[in-house]
PDB file of all heavy atoms in Angstrom:
ATOM      1  N   GLY A1121     -96.993 -39.991  37.858  1.00  0.00           N
ATOM      2  CA  GLY A1121     -97.490 -40.017  39.284  1.00  0.00           C
ATOM      3  C   GLY A1121     -98.282 -38.673  39.488  1.00  0.00           C
ATOM      4  O   GLY A1121     -98.331 -37.751  38.649  1.00  0.00           O
ATOM      5  N   ALA A1122     -98.724 -38.510  40.793  1.00  0.00           N
ATOM      6  CA  ALA A1122     -99.349 -37.291  41.150  1.00  0.00           C
ATOM      7  C   ALA A1122     -98.524 -36.023  40.999  1.00  0.00           C
ATOM      8  O   ALA A1122     -98.992 -34.949  40.746  1.00  0.00           O
ATOM      9  CB  ALA A1122    -100.115 -37.342  42.532  1.00  0.00           C
ATOM     10  N   ASP A1123     -97.212 -36.288  41.213  1.00  0.00           N
ATOM     11  CA  ASP A1123     -96.264 -35.168  41.164  1.00  0.00           C
ATOM     12  C   ASP A1123     -95.826 -34.824  39.754  1.00  0.00           C
ATOM     13  O   ASP A1123     -94.961 -33.970  39.485  1.00  0.00           O
ATOM     14  CB  ASP A1123     -94.966 -35.513  42.057  1.00  0.00           C
ATOM     15  CG  ASP A1123     -94.304 -36.770  41.535  1.00  0.00           C
ATOM     16  OD1 ASP A1123     -94.794 -37.479  40.533  1.00  0.00           O
ATOM     17  OD2 ASP A1123     -93.233 -37.177  42.093  1.00  0.00           O
ATOM     18  N   GLY A1124     -96.395 -35.648  38.734  1.00  0.00           N
ATOM     19  CA  GLY A1124     -96.044 -35.249  37.464  1.00  0.00           C
ATOM     20  C   GLY A1124     -94.762 -35.984  36.850  1.00  0.00           C
ATOM     21  O   GLY A1124     -94.402 -35.840  35.698  1.00  0.00           O
ATOM     22  N   GLN A1125     -94.180 -36.745  37.827  1.00  0.00           N
ATOM     23  CA  GLN A1125     -92.904 -37.528  37.474  1.00  0.00           C
ATOM     24  C   GLN A1125     -93.230 -38.906  36.986  1.00  0.00           C
ATOM     25  O   GLN A1125     -94.324 -39.423  37.335  1.00  0.00           O
ATOM     26  CB  GLN A1125     -91.933 -37.549  38.564  1.00  0.00           C
ATOM     27  CG  GLN A1125     -91.538 -36.144  39.086  1.00  0.00           C
ATOM     28  CD  GLN A1125     -90.748 -35.342  38.085  1.00  0.00           C
ATOM     29  OE1 GLN A1125     -89.811 -35.894  37.450  1.00  0.00           O
ATOM     30  NE2 GLN A1125     -91.212 -34.127  37.792  1.00  0.00           N
ATOM     31  N   LYS A1126     -92.383 -39.562  36.210  1.00  0.00           N
ATOM     32  CA  LYS A1126     -92.711 -40.833  35.786  1.00  0.00           C
ATOM     33  C   LYS A1126     -92.990 -41.836  37.049  1.00  0.00           C
ATOM     34  O   LYS A1126     -92.280 -41.773  37.969  1.00  0.00           O
ATOM     35  CB  LYS A1126     -91.604 -41.516  34.934  1.00  0.00           C
ATOM     36  CG  LYS A1126     -90.179 -41.417  35.553  1.00  0.00           C
ATOM     37  CD  LYS A1126     -89.102 -41.839  34.636  1.00  0.00           C
ATOM     38  CE  LYS A1126     -87.806 -41.938  35.076  1.00  0.00           C
ATOM     39  NZ  LYS A1126     -86.736 -42.337  34.185  1.00  0.00           N
ATOM     40  N   ALA A1127     -94.008 -42.654  36.755  1.00  0.00           N
ATOM     41  CA  ALA A1127     -94.464 -43.425  37.879  1.00  0.00           C
ATOM     42  C   ALA A1127     -93.681 -44.745  38.063  1.00  0.00           C
ATOM     43  O   ALA A1127     -93.518 -45.133  39.254  1.00  0.00           O
ATOM     44  CB  ALA A1127     -95.875 -43.915  37.634  1.00  0.00           C
ATOM     45  N   HIS A1128     -92.931 -45.135  37.031  1.00  0.00           N
ATOM     46  CA  HIS A1128     -92.171 -46.303  37.116  1.00  0.00           C
ATOM     47  C   HIS A1128     -90.795 -46.023  36.326  1.00  0.00           C
ATOM     48  O   HIS A1128     -90.967 -45.560  35.191  1.00  0.00           O
ATOM     49  CB  HIS A1128     -92.816 -47.570  36.475  1.00  0.00           C
ATOM     50  CG  HIS A1128     -92.144 -48.871  36.851  1.00  0.00           C
ATOM     51  ND1 HIS A1128     -91.050 -49.244  36.202  1.00  0.00           N
ATOM     52  CD2 HIS A1128     -92.534 -49.928  37.650  1.00  0.00           C
ATOM     53  CE1 HIS A1128     -90.615 -50.454  36.712  1.00  0.00           C
ATOM     54  NE2 HIS A1128     -91.502 -50.833  37.556  1.00  0.00           N
ATOM     55  N   PRO A1129     -89.681 -46.284  36.915  1.00  0.00           N
ATOM     56  CA  PRO A1129     -88.452 -45.944  36.260  1.00  0.00           C
ATOM     57  C   PRO A1129     -88.052 -46.764  35.000  1.00  0.00           C
ATOM     58  O   PRO A1129     -87.302 -46.250  34.064  1.00  0.00           O
ATOM     59  CB  PRO A1129     -87.394 -46.156  37.270  1.00  0.00           C
ATOM     60  CG  PRO A1129     -88.075 -47.218  38.199  1.00  0.00           C
ATOM     61  CD  PRO A1129     -89.475 -46.896  38.210  1.00  0.00           C
ATOM     62  N   THR A1130     -88.616 -47.959  34.832  1.00  0.00           N
ATOM     63  CA  THR A1130     -88.296 -48.896  33.676  1.00  0.00           C
ATOM     64  C   THR A1130     -89.493 -49.267  32.884  1.00  0.00           C
ATOM     65  O   THR A1130     -89.505 -50.361  32.305  1.00  0.00           O
ATOM     66  CB  THR A1130     -87.489 -50.011  34.126  1.00  0.00           C
ATOM     67  OG1 THR A1130     -88.373 -50.815  34.954  1.00  0.00           O
ATOM     68  CG2 THR A1130     -86.235 -49.607  34.856  1.00  0.00           C
ATOM     69  N   GLN A1131     -90.504 -48.417  32.841  1.00  0.00           N
ATOM     70  CA  GLN A1131     -91.720 -48.761  32.009  1.00  0.00           C
ATOM     71  C   GLN A1131     -91.379 -49.050  30.497  1.00  0.00           C
ATOM     72  O   GLN A1131     -90.603 -48.252  29.859  1.00  0.00           O
ATOM     73  CB  GLN A1131     -92.689 -47.599  32.079  1.00  0.00           C
ATOM     74  CG  GLN A1131     -94.029 -47.901  31.058  1.00  0.00           C
ATOM     75  CD  GLN A1131     -94.985 -46.637  31.183  1.00  0.00           C
ATOM     76  OE1 GLN A1131     -94.787 -45.798  32.031  1.00  0.00           O
ATOM     77  NE2 GLN A1131     -95.736 -46.658  30.156  1.00  0.00           N
ATOM     78  N   LYS A1132     -91.690 -50.198  30.062  1.00  0.00           N
ATOM     79  CA  LYS A1132     -91.414 -50.659  28.718  1.00  0.00           C
ATOM     80  C   LYS A1132     -92.503 -50.074  27.685  1.00  0.00           C
ATOM     81  O   LYS A1132     -93.665 -49.899  28.022  1.00  0.00           O
ATOM     82  CB  LYS A1132     -91.290 -52.097  28.515  1.00  0.00           C
ATOM     83  CG  LYS A1132     -90.271 -52.755  29.389  1.00  0.00           C
ATOM     84  CD  LYS A1132     -88.885 -52.347  29.067  1.00  0.00           C
ATOM     85  CE  LYS A1132     -87.783 -52.848  29.857  1.00  0.00           C
ATOM     86  NZ  LYS A1132     -87.697 -52.481  31.271  1.00  0.00           N
ATOM     87  N   PRO A1133     -92.059 -49.779  26.529  1.00  0.00           N
ATOM     88  CA  PRO A1133     -92.883 -49.258  25.391  1.00  0.00           C
ATOM     89  C   PRO A1133     -94.022 -50.426  25.018  1.00  0.00           C
ATOM     90  O   PRO A1133     -93.663 -51.588  25.016  1.00  0.00           O
ATOM     91  CB  PRO A1133     -92.097 -48.990  24.234  1.00  0.00           C
ATOM     92  CG  PRO A1133     -90.858 -49.895  24.374  1.00  0.00           C
ATOM     93  CD  PRO A1133     -90.726 -50.013  25.901  1.00  0.00           C
ATOM     94  N   GLU A1134     -95.246 -50.000  24.963  1.00  0.00           N
ATOM     95  CA  GLU A1134     -96.271 -50.995  24.526  1.00  0.00           C
ATOM     96  C   GLU A1134     -95.943 -51.709  23.265  1.00  0.00           C
ATOM     97  O   GLU A1134     -96.445 -52.750  22.978  1.00  0.00           O
ATOM     98  CB  GLU A1134     -97.707 -50.305  24.628  1.00  0.00           C
ATOM     99  CG  GLU A1134     -98.786 -51.367  24.627  1.00  0.00           C
ATOM    100  CD  GLU A1134    -100.227 -50.624  24.813  1.00  0.00           C
ATOM    101  OE1 GLU A1134    -100.255 -49.737  25.586  1.00  0.00           O
ATOM    102  OE2 GLU A1134    -101.198 -51.121  24.313  1.00  0.00           O
ATOM    103  N   ALA A1135     -95.428 -50.930  22.313  1.00  0.00           N
ATOM    104  CA  ALA A1135     -95.003 -51.594  20.995  1.00  0.00           C
ATOM    105  C   ALA A1135     -94.176 -52.749  21.137  1.00  0.00           C
ATOM    106  O   ALA A1135     -94.366 -53.845  20.314  1.00  0.00           O
ATOM    107  CB  ALA A1135     -94.350 -50.448  20.188  1.00  0.00           C
ATOM    108  N   LEU A1136     -93.311 -52.761  22.140  1.00  0.00           N
ATOM    109  CA  LEU A1136     -92.438 -53.903  22.368  1.00  0.00           C
ATOM    110  C   LEU A1136     -93.253 -55.170  22.796  1.00  0.00           C
ATOM    111  O   LEU A1136     -93.098 -56.283  22.249  1.00  0.00           O
ATOM    112  CB  LEU A1136     -91.341 -53.585  23.374  1.00  0.00           C
ATOM    113  CG  LEU A1136     -90.376 -54.768  23.764  1.00  0.00           C
ATOM    114  CD1 LEU A1136     -89.501 -54.935  22.628  1.00  0.00           C
ATOM    115  CD2 LEU A1136     -89.528 -54.304  24.981  1.00  0.00           C
ATOM    116  N   LEU A1137     -94.181 -54.901  23.670  1.00  0.00           N
ATOM    117  CA  LEU A1137     -95.068 -56.134  24.192  1.00  0.00           C
ATOM    118  C   LEU A1137     -96.035 -56.497  23.048  1.00  0.00           C
ATOM    119  O   LEU A1137     -96.423 -57.644  23.073  1.00  0.00           O
ATOM    120  CB  LEU A1137     -95.747 -55.544  25.388  1.00  0.00           C
ATOM    121  CG  LEU A1137     -94.976 -55.914  26.743  1.00  0.00           C
ATOM    122  CD1 LEU A1137     -94.835 -57.375  27.124  1.00  0.00           C
ATOM    123  CD2 LEU A1137     -93.725 -55.165  26.838  1.00  0.00           C
ATOM    124  N   TYR A1138     -96.574 -55.552  22.271  1.00  0.00           N
ATOM    125  CA  TYR A1138     -97.379 -55.884  21.248  1.00  0.00           C
ATOM    126  C   TYR A1138     -96.635 -56.782  20.298  1.00  0.00           C
ATOM    127  O   TYR A1138     -97.377 -57.913  19.977  1.00  0.00           O
ATOM    128  CB  TYR A1138     -97.686 -54.611  20.500  1.00  0.00           C
ATOM    129  CG  TYR A1138     -98.751 -54.893  19.434  1.00  0.00           C
ATOM    130  CD1 TYR A1138    -100.111 -54.356  19.632  1.00  0.00           C
ATOM    131  CD2 TYR A1138     -98.496 -55.212  18.166  1.00  0.00           C
ATOM    132  CE1 TYR A1138    -101.115 -54.430  18.640  1.00  0.00           C
ATOM    133  CE2 TYR A1138     -99.376 -55.295  17.112  1.00  0.00           C
ATOM    134  CZ  TYR A1138    -100.752 -54.989  17.361  1.00  0.00           C
ATOM    135  OH  TYR A1138    -101.754 -55.115  16.436  1.00  0.00           O
ATOM    136  N   ARG A1139     -95.400 -56.624  20.038  1.00  0.00           N
ATOM    137  CA  ARG A1139     -94.853 -57.515  19.042  1.00  0.00           C
ATOM    138  C   ARG A1139     -94.461 -58.956  19.697  1.00  0.00           C
ATOM    139  O   ARG A1139     -94.653 -59.987  19.026  1.00  0.00           O
ATOM    140  CB  ARG A1139     -93.416 -56.900  18.628  1.00  0.00           C
ATOM    141  CG  ARG A1139     -92.845 -57.779  17.553  1.00  0.00           C
ATOM    142  CD  ARG A1139     -91.459 -57.046  17.071  1.00  0.00           C
ATOM    143  NE  ARG A1139     -91.790 -55.753  16.272  1.00  0.00           N
ATOM    144  CZ  ARG A1139     -90.933 -55.021  15.638  1.00  0.00           C
ATOM    145  NH1 ARG A1139     -89.720 -55.331  15.733  1.00  0.00           N
ATOM    146  NH2 ARG A1139     -91.338 -53.932  15.050  1.00  0.00           N
ATOM    147  N   VAL A1140     -94.078 -58.913  20.959  1.00  0.00           N
ATOM    148  CA  VAL A1140     -93.844 -60.202  21.638  1.00  0.00           C
ATOM    149  C   VAL A1140     -95.226 -61.004  21.717  1.00  0.00           C
ATOM    150  O   VAL A1140     -95.128 -62.179  21.421  1.00  0.00           O
ATOM    151  CB  VAL A1140     -93.488 -59.869  23.172  1.00  0.00           C
ATOM    152  CG1 VAL A1140     -93.468 -61.137  24.044  1.00  0.00           C
ATOM    153  CG2 VAL A1140     -91.997 -59.302  23.082  1.00  0.00           C
ATOM    154  N   ILE A1141     -96.359 -60.386  22.080  1.00  0.00           N
ATOM    155  CA  ILE A1141     -97.626 -61.089  22.168  1.00  0.00           C
ATOM    156  C   ILE A1141     -98.076 -61.490  20.767  1.00  0.00           C
ATOM    157  O   ILE A1141     -98.639 -62.659  20.649  1.00  0.00           O
ATOM    158  CB  ILE A1141     -98.611 -60.179  22.980  1.00  0.00           C
ATOM    159  CG1 ILE A1141     -98.155 -59.909  24.374  1.00  0.00           C
ATOM    160  CG2 ILE A1141     -99.974 -60.795  22.882  1.00  0.00           C
ATOM    161  CD1 ILE A1141     -98.953 -59.030  25.119  1.00  0.00           C
ATOM    162  N   LEU A1142     -97.941 -60.664  19.858  1.00  0.00           N
ATOM    163  CA  LEU A1142     -98.529 -60.985  18.422  1.00  0.00           C
ATOM    164  C   LEU A1142     -97.717 -62.204  17.859  1.00  0.00           C
ATOM    165  O   LEU A1142     -98.268 -62.989  17.261  1.00  0.00           O
ATOM    166  CB  LEU A1142     -98.332 -59.722  17.599  1.00  0.00           C
ATOM    167  CG  LEU A1142     -98.955 -59.965  16.188  1.00  0.00           C
ATOM    168  CD1 LEU A1142    -100.508 -59.964  16.235  1.00  0.00           C
ATOM    169  CD2 LEU A1142     -98.505 -58.784  15.246  1.00  0.00           C
ATOM    170  N   SER A1143     -96.495 -62.211  18.224  1.00  0.00           N
ATOM    171  CA  SER A1143     -95.645 -63.319  17.712  1.00  0.00           C
ATOM    172  C   SER A1143     -95.608 -64.635  18.290  1.00  0.00           C
ATOM    173  O   SER A1143     -95.410 -65.632  17.604  1.00  0.00           O
ATOM    174  CB  SER A1143     -94.074 -62.863  17.547  1.00  0.00           C
ATOM    175  OG  SER A1143     -93.676 -62.557  18.968  1.00  0.00           O
ATOM    176  N   THR A1144     -96.125 -64.559  19.621  1.00  0.00           N
ATOM    177  CA  THR A1144     -95.780 -65.995  20.324  1.00  0.00           C
ATOM    178  C   THR A1144     -97.124 -66.367  21.156  1.00  0.00           C
ATOM    179  O   THR A1144     -96.984 -67.224  22.020  1.00  0.00           O
ATOM    180  CB  THR A1144     -94.592 -65.981  21.226  1.00  0.00           C
ATOM    181  OG1 THR A1144     -94.649 -64.792  22.073  1.00  0.00           O
ATOM    182  CG2 THR A1144     -93.379 -65.814  20.469  1.00  0.00           C
ATOM    183  N   THR A1145     -98.297 -65.805  20.831  1.00  0.00           N
ATOM    184  CA  THR A1145     -99.513 -66.186  21.412  1.00  0.00           C
ATOM    185  C   THR A1145    -100.594 -66.237  20.479  1.00  0.00           C
ATOM    186  O   THR A1145    -100.511 -65.717  19.386  1.00  0.00           O
ATOM    187  CB  THR A1145     -99.849 -65.320  22.603  1.00  0.00           C
ATOM    188  OG1 THR A1145    -100.229 -64.144  22.103  1.00  0.00           O
ATOM    189  CG2 THR A1145     -98.903 -65.220  23.715  1.00  0.00           C
ATOM    190  N   LYS A1146    -101.665 -66.907  20.839  1.00  0.00           N
ATOM    191  CA  LYS A1146    -102.937 -66.885  20.105  1.00  0.00           C
ATOM    192  C   LYS A1146    -104.072 -66.155  20.929  1.00  0.00           C
ATOM    193  O   LYS A1146    -103.959 -66.151  22.081  1.00  0.00           O
ATOM    194  CB  LYS A1146    -103.462 -68.259  19.823  1.00  0.00           C
ATOM    195  CG  LYS A1146    -102.329 -69.104  18.999  1.00  0.00           C
ATOM    196  CD  LYS A1146    -102.818 -70.578  18.762  1.00  0.00           C
ATOM    197  CE  LYS A1146    -102.875 -71.346  19.942  1.00  0.00           C
ATOM    198  NZ  LYS A1146    -101.630 -71.752  20.602  1.00  0.00           N
ATOM    199  N   PRO A1147    -105.063 -65.647  20.182  1.00  0.00           N
ATOM    200  CA  PRO A1147    -106.150 -65.016  21.039  1.00  0.00           C
ATOM    201  C   PRO A1147    -106.754 -66.037  21.960  1.00  0.00           C
ATOM    202  O   PRO A1147    -106.972 -67.191  21.748  1.00  0.00           O
ATOM    203  CB  PRO A1147    -107.225 -64.682  19.877  1.00  0.00           C
ATOM    204  CG  PRO A1147    -106.391 -64.508  18.697  1.00  0.00           C
ATOM    205  CD  PRO A1147    -105.283 -65.439  18.780  1.00  0.00           C
ATOM    206  N   GLY A1148    -107.102 -65.458  23.186  1.00  0.00           N
ATOM    207  CA  GLY A1148    -107.520 -66.333  24.369  1.00  0.00           C
ATOM    208  C   GLY A1148    -106.449 -66.967  25.184  1.00  0.00           C
ATOM    209  O   GLY A1148    -106.696 -67.507  26.274  1.00  0.00           O
ATOM    210  N   ASP A1149    -105.114 -66.809  24.787  1.00  0.00           N
ATOM    211  CA  ASP A1149    -104.112 -67.427  25.569  1.00  0.00           C
ATOM    212  C   ASP A1149    -103.852 -66.650  26.923  1.00  0.00           C
ATOM    213  O   ASP A1149    -104.218 -65.472  26.954  1.00  0.00           O
ATOM    214  CB  ASP A1149    -102.779 -67.345  24.809  1.00  0.00           C
ATOM    215  CG  ASP A1149    -102.684 -68.540  23.863  1.00  0.00           C
ATOM    216  OD1 ASP A1149    -103.451 -69.395  23.793  1.00  0.00           O
ATOM    217  OD2 ASP A1149    -101.539 -68.594  23.094  1.00  0.00           O
ATOM    218  N   VAL A1150    -103.340 -67.314  27.928  1.00  0.00           N
ATOM    219  CA  VAL A1150    -103.089 -66.685  29.163  1.00  0.00           C
ATOM    220  C   VAL A1150    -101.671 -66.315  29.240  1.00  0.00           C
ATOM    221  O   VAL A1150    -100.683 -67.132  28.954  1.00  0.00           O
ATOM    222  CB  VAL A1150    -103.502 -67.687  30.395  1.00  0.00           C
ATOM    223  CG1 VAL A1150    -103.145 -67.014  31.685  1.00  0.00           C
ATOM    224  CG2 VAL A1150    -104.981 -68.158  30.319  1.00  0.00           C
ATOM    225  N   ILE A1151    -101.372 -65.013  29.492  1.00  0.00           N
ATOM    226  CA  ILE A1151    -100.048 -64.410  29.653  1.00  0.00           C
ATOM    227  C   ILE A1151     -99.836 -64.109  31.092  1.00  0.00           C
ATOM    228  O   ILE A1151    -100.629 -63.390  31.671  1.00  0.00           O
ATOM    229  CB  ILE A1151     -99.879 -63.265  28.692  1.00  0.00           C
ATOM    230  CG1 ILE A1151    -100.149 -63.688  27.249  1.00  0.00           C
ATOM    231  CG2 ILE A1151     -98.476 -62.624  28.851  1.00  0.00           C
ATOM    232  CD1 ILE A1151    -100.309 -62.467  26.316  1.00  0.00           C
ATOM    233  N   LEU A1152     -98.691 -64.505  31.627  1.00  0.00           N
ATOM    234  CA  LEU A1152     -98.272 -64.126  33.011  1.00  0.00           C
ATOM    235  C   LEU A1152     -97.165 -63.224  33.024  1.00  0.00           C
ATOM    236  O   LEU A1152     -96.254 -63.304  32.195  1.00  0.00           O
ATOM    237  CB  LEU A1152     -97.949 -65.481  33.750  1.00  0.00           C
ATOM    238  CG  LEU A1152     -97.120 -65.311  35.194  1.00  0.00           C
ATOM    239  CD1 LEU A1152     -98.147 -64.628  36.203  1.00  0.00           C
ATOM    240  CD2 LEU A1152     -96.717 -66.589  35.535  1.00  0.00           C
ATOM    241  N   ASP A1153     -97.273 -62.128  33.790  1.00  0.00           N
ATOM    242  CA  ASP A1153     -96.146 -61.179  33.963  1.00  0.00           C
ATOM    243  C   ASP A1153     -96.029 -61.074  35.390  1.00  0.00           C
ATOM    244  O   ASP A1153     -96.769 -60.506  36.219  1.00  0.00           O
ATOM    245  CB  ASP A1153     -96.495 -59.700  33.374  1.00  0.00           C
ATOM    246  CG  ASP A1153     -95.373 -58.811  33.458  1.00  0.00           C
ATOM    247  OD1 ASP A1153     -94.529 -59.065  34.367  1.00  0.00           O
ATOM    248  OD2 ASP A1153     -95.439 -57.926  32.706  1.00  0.00           O
ATOM    249  N   PRO A1154     -94.913 -61.707  35.885  1.00  0.00           N
ATOM    250  CA  PRO A1154     -94.699 -61.667  37.339  1.00  0.00           C
ATOM    251  C   PRO A1154     -94.056 -60.501  37.936  1.00  0.00           C
ATOM    252  O   PRO A1154     -93.897 -60.245  39.209  1.00  0.00           O
ATOM    253  CB  PRO A1154     -93.636 -62.877  37.547  1.00  0.00           C
ATOM    254  CG  PRO A1154     -93.006 -62.982  36.249  1.00  0.00           C
ATOM    255  CD  PRO A1154     -93.948 -62.657  35.151  1.00  0.00           C
ATOM    256  N   PHE A1155     -93.693 -59.618  36.969  1.00  0.00           N
ATOM    257  CA  PHE A1155     -93.077 -58.230  37.438  1.00  0.00           C
ATOM    258  C   PHE A1155     -93.958 -57.175  36.749  1.00  0.00           C
ATOM    259  O   PHE A1155     -93.510 -56.521  35.832  1.00  0.00           O
ATOM    260  CB  PHE A1155     -91.686 -58.082  37.151  1.00  0.00           C
ATOM    261  CG  PHE A1155     -90.883 -59.253  37.654  1.00  0.00           C
ATOM    262  CD1 PHE A1155     -90.504 -60.320  36.957  1.00  0.00           C
ATOM    263  CD2 PHE A1155     -90.371 -59.209  39.039  1.00  0.00           C
ATOM    264  CE1 PHE A1155     -89.816 -61.306  37.381  1.00  0.00           C
ATOM    265  CE2 PHE A1155     -89.585 -60.314  39.570  1.00  0.00           C
ATOM    266  CZ  PHE A1155     -89.351 -61.442  38.761  1.00  0.00           C
ATOM    267  N   PHE A1156     -95.319 -56.993  37.118  1.00  0.00           N
ATOM    268  CA  PHE A1156     -96.262 -56.392  36.269  1.00  0.00           C
ATOM    269  C   PHE A1156     -96.044 -54.879  36.138  1.00  0.00           C
ATOM    270  O   PHE A1156     -96.364 -54.293  35.214  1.00  0.00           O
ATOM    271  CB  PHE A1156     -97.588 -56.615  36.890  1.00  0.00           C
ATOM    272  CG  PHE A1156     -98.854 -56.372  36.092  1.00  0.00           C
ATOM    273  CD1 PHE A1156     -98.758 -57.141  34.688  1.00  0.00           C
ATOM    274  CD2 PHE A1156     -99.782 -55.599  36.483  1.00  0.00           C
ATOM    275  CE1 PHE A1156     -99.878 -56.912  33.972  1.00  0.00           C
ATOM    276  CE2 PHE A1156    -100.888 -55.446  35.633  1.00  0.00           C
ATOM    277  CZ  PHE A1156    -100.942 -56.057  34.379  1.00  0.00           C
TER     278      PHE A1156
END
């Protein structure tokens, strides 16, 4: 954030989402994240 502190307390690593998406979707698929 503007104060230099983490903007979100539970931000997940992008590597985790990369693996989830690579494993269970195809290019062009629609992914919904209700807690963005």
Side-chain angles (χ1 to χ4, degrees):
D1123 58 0
Q1125 301 300 308
K1126 58 187 180 183
H1128 194 289
T1130 63
Q1131 179 184 340
K1132 296 302 182 287
E1134 193 169 326
L1136 181 68
L1137 270 298
Y1138 187 101
R1139 187 174 295 181
V1140 165
I1141 291 171
L1142 186 70
S1143 62
T1144 54
T1145 64
K1146 301 181 291 291
D1149 278 357
V1150 178
I1151 301 169
L1152 167 65
D1153 186 336
F1155 307 97
F1156 201 53

